[in-house]
Amino acid sequence: MIHGHRSGAPLDLGFLGFERGAHLLVRRSLREVPIGGRVTVTGGDPALGVHLRAWARREGHGFATVPDRTATWELVRGSAEADRWAGAERAGGPGPEGIVARPPAHWGLAARGALVEAGGPEGRFDLDDRDVVWADLAPRLYAHAAAAQWDPATAVDWDASADVPADVESAVVQVMTYLVENEQAALVVPAGLLARVHPHFREVQQLLAVQAADEARHMDVFTRRALLHGGEMGTSSAGGRSSLATLLAEPDFSLASFLLSVLGEGSFLALLAFLERHAPDPVTAQITRLARVDEARHVAFGVAHLEHQGRRDPSLRGKLRTAIERRHDALVDTAGLNADVFDALVVLAAGSWTPAAIAGGHDAVQELHHAMDDGRRQRLARLGFPPDEAAELSALHTRNFM
């Protein structure tokens, strides 16, 4: 019983019971009064008093019946809800401008900008430094990536007819097999980095997720093209797989991005342009063109990230040089590019088996090497390497292209 009763803020629940959401109205009314303030609740649900008492006890509010009034109870707002959020903090701001340099581990999976209750678990995200993972271009690149996704079932005209000679088809199959192998590595690397990035840097997470999805789609279309006319997949060389294994072994975010995206996928831009230009059928031309657009985005993020970090870390160029030299030394005794792939590229560029055509195809593949080298030099120059050093480092890049 309440003595000296004075009515609190009124709340009439009608016949709404707790099993149908009455607690929402009760909580809302209590939040409108200060701690210690009162709310007088009336209602016609037969179980309302019992449920209201139990709810008030669980939530830390005072409860009492009102004398001389039926179906009426009074709640006194407690401090439990306010106490729960004591020590809470905002996880930065929701937009890129709200990013903090080093988000704490206990923010974990909280959305950026959310009010984070104290006492939660600490996430296991070791890539938690803005300057280690960030690029100012990341939000725009993700928006472009999300808008540019394409469906292999509709973006490629798989029924486009072409009379491809059997030996040229074999060359296509071999090249597609090689592309799938390399794209599998290009999927595993960003997927592994993605799991380590603190969710506070969500645009980087999103971009890496789309990058992995791009590579999965490339694996799909390259495999489908290889098997389009009922053949078997081509060969996989030990040297090629050894080259890709060094990418998987690099734990550093920036160095992994450099070796994969800037050097490897950068070289693949020239390769995909070469394949589109010398494609013997519409399907091959379509899938290499679509893949090249995706790969250009991956390269752009890698370069933008390293430019961002380079402005903050004067020692970055030395680390990049060491990474190239270390990878070169690890692969110096391997065969490099699968000979079957090299020959297949020559056949595709030749277009026929006359001596003159084969000579032209061979020259075209040499020009491809020059184009890859030129692209690597340009990207290394953007990262601050002088021309002579850029040329030296580009020459050390793996002969497997990726």
Side-chain angles (χ1 to χ4, degrees):
M1 302 288 281
I2 297 178
H3 299 285
H5 170 72
R6 52 187 178 82
S7 297
L11 172 62
D12 185 354
L13 294 175
F15 289 93
L16 181 66
F18 267 66
E19 75 282 1
R20 296 180 61 202
H23 69 285
L24 296 173
L25 296 177
V26 175
R27 181 179 288 122
R28 179 172 180 267
S29 293
L30 283 168
R31 285 174 176 170
E32 293 176 350
V33 300
I35 294 173
R38 304 179 180 217
V39 173
T40 300
V41 181
T42 58
D45 181 76
L48 181 59
V50 174
H51 291 165
L52 189 61
R53 180 192 297 271
W55 181 87
R57 179 178 298 174
R58 185 179 70 246
E59 299 289 318
H61 303 297
F63 172 88
T65 58
V66 177
D68 304 324
R69 294 178 61 182
T70 59
T72 303
W73 303 268
E74 187 168 76
L75 300 179
V76 179
R77 184 182 178 187
S79 63
E81 183 177 19
D83 293 342
R84 174 189 174 189
W85 294 102
E89 57 186 331
R90 289 284 173 188
E97 69 283 355
I99 290 175
V100 303
R102 292 294 296 270
H106 69 264
W107 284 4
L109 296 171
R112 196 168 67 218
L115 183 63
V116 182
E117 182 181 5
E122 295 197 352
R124 298 181 179 181
F125 304 105
D126 64 299
L127 296 176
D128 59 356
D129 186 329
R130 182 182 190 273
D131 291 337
V132 169
V133 301
W134 187 250
D136 291 334
L137 195 60
R140 279 186 291 154
L141 279 176
Y142 170 68
H144 177 271
Q149 294 301 289
W150 47 275
D151 181 358
T154 57
V156 180
D157 183 6
W158 295 103
D159 296 323
S161 60
D163 185 15
V164 181
D167 43 11
V168 176
E169 177 65 17
S170 295
V172 173
V173 169
Q174 180 57 63
V175 172
M176 292 296 133
T177 302
Y178 165 79
L179 292 178
V180 171
E181 184 173 279
N182 283 264
E183 297 292 58
Q184 287 179 161
L187 183 155
V188 171
V189 172
L193 296 174
L194 166 62
R196 297 170 53 200
V197 174
H198 195 297
H200 186 71
F201 308 112
R202 68 166 185 263
E203 291 86 354
V204 175
Q205 278 193 325
Q206 291 167 326
L207 198 53
L208 290 172
V210 174
Q211 183 171 337
D214 289 341
E215 306 300 4
R217 189 170 55 244
H218 299 170
M219 289 158 53
D220 177 16
V221 296
F222 294 150
T223 301
R224 186 167 175 178
R225 173 60 189 90
L227 304 177
L228 188 60
H229 299 298
E232 294 183 327
M233 300 293 282
T235 64
S236 170
S237 69
R241 296 196 308 278
S242 295
S243 177
L244 297 176
T246 60
L247 295 175
L248 307 186
E250 179 54 68
D252 183 88
F253 183 92
S254 295
L255 298 185
S257 298
F258 174 62
L259 294 176
L260 173 66
S261 297
V262 178
L263 296 181
E265 292 180 306
S267 298
F268 259 53
L269 292 179
L271 175 60
L272 292 168
F274 174 94
L275 294 173
E276 181 186 358
R277 184 165 59 251
H278 297 291
D281 63 295
V283 171
T284 301
Q286 289 172 22
I287 62 176
T288 50
R289 181 175 64 254
L290 289 166
R292 184 160 53 90
V293 172
D294 292 338
E295 298 292 352
R297 190 169 55 245
H298 306 168
V299 175
F301 173 65
V303 172
H305 161 69
L306 290 166
E307 286 180 323
H308 172 90
Q309 191 175 11
R311 290 191 291 268
R312 290 157 173 77
D313 182 5
S315 68
L316 177 65
R317 285 198 300 276
K319 296 174 183 176
L320 299 180
R321 181 185 183 94
T322 299
I324 293 176
E325 294 172 339
R326 183 172 62 244
R327 189 180 186 208
H328 175 267
D329 292 345
L331 298 173
V332 69
D333 294 326
T334 63
L337 182 67
N338 184 349
D340 292 338
V341 175
F342 180 88
D343 292 348
L345 293 174
V346 172
V347 170
L348 288 178
S352 71
W353 285 95
T354 66
I358 292 297
H362 190 277
D363 291 344
V365 174
Q366 296 307 312
E367 285 300 315
L368 169 61
H369 282 275
H370 294 320
M372 289 179 171
D373 178 57
D374 184 62
R376 289 193 297 268
R377 291 191 193 197
Q378 291 183 33
R379 285 182 286 277
L380 288 166
R382 281 189 59 181
L383 298 180
F385 289 98
D388 58 340
E389 190 173 1
E392 176 193 354
L393 294 177
S394 177
L396 295 178
H397 183 62
T398 173
R399 290 166 290 171
N400 191 51
F401 300 164
M402 181 71 83

